[in-house]
Amino acid sequence: MAIEKILYRTEVTVAAGREGRAESPDGALKVQLSNPRELGGDGGPGTNPEQLFAAGYAACFLSSLRFAMARQKRTLPAGASATGIVGIGTIASGFAIEVELRVSLPGLPDDEARDWMAQAHIICPYSHATRGNIDVRLLLV
């Protein structure tokens, strides 16, 4: 799928892989990376690619919910949240990830909340990027 018009572009440079640093040229992102013990690392104090992906997907999905609802003159309920859970494991050719998004939409009936989640899943660029590539589960909590 080709993007019709780029609205924003960013970059982040990583040095030393999972046990290095990640930094954006504008300085907005500067993080120490640590490899989890479960993946053979030292479990140091830094973050890891799975945590960053979980945060990015959850934030983007919640914004996509807001966008979908705004198109219908609705507002995202106060206290709405999305929690991204990313798992990494082995496959025959190496490693793969899976995602679970736990979405809370307080005050909305379950059927309506699930409909909004389905619309957000169509809109969200992370959902576009993962569709057909990895397992993504959406859960209303």
Side-chain angles (χ1 to χ4, degrees), residues 42-67:
D42 66 1
T47 189
N48 59 64
E50 293 73 34
Q51 289 175 331
L52 294 169
F53 190 79
Y57 202 159
C60 191
F61 193 83
L62 199 58
S63 291
S64 296
L65 270 165
R66 178 179 288 117
F67 180 84

Side-chain angles (χ1 to χ4, degrees), residues 62-77 116 119-120 123:
L62 199 58
S63 291
S64 296
L65 270 165
R66 178 179 288 117
F67 180 84
M69 294 181 83
R71 289 195 311 190
Q72 300 296 318
K73 309 274 191 263
R74 299 284 304 274
T75 57
L76 195 63
W116 288 119
Q119 288 182 48
I123 295 167

